[in-house]
Amino acid sequence: MSTTSSESFVRGQRLMLIFLVAMCIVVACVLSTETTMPTQNMSNKERAELREEARDMFYHAYNAYMQNAYPADELMPLSCKGRYRGVTPSRGDMDDILGNFSMTLVDTLDTLVLLGDFTEFDHAVKLVIREVQFDSDIIVSVFETNIRMVGGLLSAHILAEYLQKHADTMHWYKGELLEMSRELGYRLLPAFNTSTGIPHARVNLRLGMKDPMLKKSRETCTACAGTILLEFAALSRLTGDPIFEVRAHAAMDALWKLRHRGSDLMGTVLNVHSGDWVRRDSGVGAGIDSYYEYLFKSYVLLGDDKYLARFNRHYNAVMKYVSEGPMLLDVLMHRPHAKSKNFMDSLLAFWPGLQVLSGDLKPAVQTHEMLYQVMQMHTFIPEAFTVDFQIHWGQHPLRPEFIESTYFLYRATGDHHYLQVGKKALKTLQQHAKVSCGYAAVNDVRTGKHEDRMDSFVLSETIKYLFLLFSDPQDLIINVDEFVFTTEAHLLPLSIAQLGNATFSFRQTDEHNVLDFMRTCPSSNRLFPEKVRKPLRNFITGSCPRTTAGKRLSALDFQASNADHLRAVYDMGITMVSVGDRSQGKVRLFHSFYNAKSHEEGEMGLQFMQEMLELTKMQSINQLAQLQAVAYATDENSQDWIALMAGPSHFSPELTGDQFVEGDVILAKPLRACDESLENAEEAKGKVLVAERGDCTFVSKARLAQKVGAAALIVCDNVPGSSGETQPMFAMSGDGKDDVLIPVVFMYSMEFGKLSAVMQRRKQPLRVRVMQMVEFKRWQLAKEQRQNQTASVAQKPEKEL
Ligand code: DMJ
């Protein structure tokens, strides 16, 4: 071997070693590869290709809808046909979005303008004017109709006039869309006739509130009532009829009065007549999200300082109580130090975008980074995920919120990281959601199974924000900076605020005022996000090892399966001892200063133990109180009972104390129980009915069960292998109404599997009791005590009797 060849051999070996080490790192960091690599700048060419790919995505979905579903409200991408209210099998209250008014087309009009497709816009506007009508005996959601339909019509009207002026086209247009939005606005107004001024959640398009089905209407969500003002103000200012804006301001004022005066937080569900809170959970996601968005954007659009002041009060409260590092966890509005949920929902992904608009960049970067890691971990952001980033609810209806925030972060920072994130989101949609007839929602991100559903926001928001992210201002016909994006991404021009007082004042936060970034050279606007993201790179455990140096591991972050965490708690002087069956992963913690690595770490250990105590206390109180049980006798003649874990629901009566419902179990036919009626309705009378999760909402299954006279309903999970032992139990959500009078509980697949096995074994129908788990335990304890007493009495010698 010559010197040169031996050198090259050694170099080759070294390279191989480096390669192997690199491979190990890649394998170890598989979940966060992209975040740990320095951000790659994206070439203009690639960006333009992605913009064109977003455009293709739009047409793939739009054409599928127009050719196979229009004039229906939505496309059903798997069956490749339209979803019509009253014709397509009902999904329960979820269908309140639909009004048989070609919603997807109306919601999509302004995207056509952004894409520069004036010919199709012209055609689509003509279709809407000619064919869409609102005089239907249909109950619709006030919130959804406002954001998708009124917003869609208004934005299309504004852009049609804009094109007349700037693109020398649409000259035939005479404001017909504005007239249509005014008509629809009038049809929504009866919902505002409440003693508080806060609108009802639903209204009948033809009958207003006179529909007998709405007689008992009283509950609505904060976001439902607080996401009206942008559209209604635009409607009033464009039509000259003040009624809309007056009603929307009144609703906002009434909501503001309901904030908790101590914490400045809002709950999520309230009574429109009394103004009482029905659900006091306070976060930034489902049920409340766009209320905060509309406070801030009302200030931007209308220039009314009052809304900025209100937004800031709420914002500070959210950052004080709800924000936990990059996470946002619900608390109780009246007890803001108590976390009320241990999971986050995907709707909160809009929050970083709103933070960007309001000038608070740092937490926006942090939360976005956390969400990006959740997305990489589970392919899509699941509808709900736990504080340790496990799936709580695996559905993903191709929501826009994360992409929306990515867009705003890119606009604010120019950091190409956000282009890479957008690329990942786009490619994921292409790979996992694209079907031959549009894009299909994902039923469960664990299995990737599709759902026959393409919500209108896929076109009006998800793809729109992707297209905008990869477009330069010169690619667009309009200057988007002159518009406010509504919560449904419809464009309303800032010029609407002609009468407003446009005082502009950023909230001053010492270290990250957006103006400071703009003045520096080189612009730290570019450098800043990377600095903020860096410490969060390994935020989600299970990716690269996380070092705890410099930052104390909090009990909330702790995961017993994480080797680094175990090392960290050990250094803090904490010993962990497994208790019970190891497979259940239950551990007991002991702390001693003597075992700690240093005095400082000993102190940290003590703090950790205190936090852990608080957490477990909170969790076990919450869980125990809420946990339900489905109990049955071990065999037909036995007095011994077994209880299987079940979850409660928010919409059915709570079984408390010694209350229980007893009956024979029977499976619904069809099992999903989403149709109008059941094949075995007669048989189900007085029984405990079982329906499988999926296809329609929990509460619609419950209503069907109640209609056929079932004594209770068990909803069993449709995800194979799920279990309450390995994932947190949750409470099924309803729609704010309280018409379900029978108990409804949820069972994960493993627990239900046990029940089902017993059902099959028994010759007689299996009789079960649905009750509170804590009551079952008490009942068993009392029984044991009685048995012990009888036994000890029986053992006592006669003379002592
Ligand atoms: C959209 O209809 C709107 O963005 C709304 O504010 C929240 N939910 C959906 C998208 O997820």
Side-chain angles (χ1 to χ4, degrees), residues 326-328 344-353 364-382 385 389 401-402 405-406 421 539-540:
M327 298 193 285
L328 293 148
M344 289 167 265
D345 60 66
S346 68
L347 286 167
L348 63 75
F350 89 104
W351 185 251
V365 172
Q366 291 174 325
T367 298
H368 182 274
E369 178 62 16
M370 170 201 75
L371 291 165
Y372 184 39
Q373 292 181 34
V374 174
M375 180 190 135
Q376 290 175 97
M377 194 169 179
H378 300 296
T379 311
F380 290 104
I381 298 176
F385 51 92
F389 310 106
E401 284 77 7
F402 177 68
S405 286
T406 307
V421 173
F539 186 73
I540 294 188

Side-chain angles (χ1 to χ4, degrees), residues 293-363:
E293 181 182 356
Y294 270 37
L295 277 177
F296 186 74
K297 290 184 177 173
S298 295
Y299 161 69
V300 177
L301 187 73
L302 309 175
D304 186 341
D305 290 345
K306 168 175 92 178
Y307 289 112
L308 179 63
R310 288 179 186 176
F311 171 79
N312 282 341
R313 283 274 288 276
H314 287 314
Y315 185 82
N316 290 335
V318 167
M319 294 314 279
K320 183 167 170 193
Y321 301 116
V322 178
S323 157
E324 184 93 41
M327 298 193 285
L328 293 148
L329 293 167
D330 279 21
V331 297
L332 295 172
M333 61 186 284
H334 57 295
R335 267 197 287 133
H337 293 289
K339 298 281 178 222
S340 69
K341 283 184 192 152
N342 67 345
F343 62 87
M344 289 167 265
D345 60 66
S346 68
L347 286 167
L348 63 75
F350 89 104
W351 185 251
L354 182 60
Q355 289 182 309
V356 169
L357 292 178
S358 77
D360 205 2
L361 213 51
K362 184 177 175 183

Side-chain angles (χ1 to χ4, degrees), residues 769-782:
R769 272 188 190 191
V770 179
M771 61 198 303
Q772 256 188 322
M773 183 60 95
V774 71
E775 269 317 305
F776 176 83
K777 300 234 153 130
R778 242 176 245 152
W779 179 43
Q780 292 302 300
L781 207 70

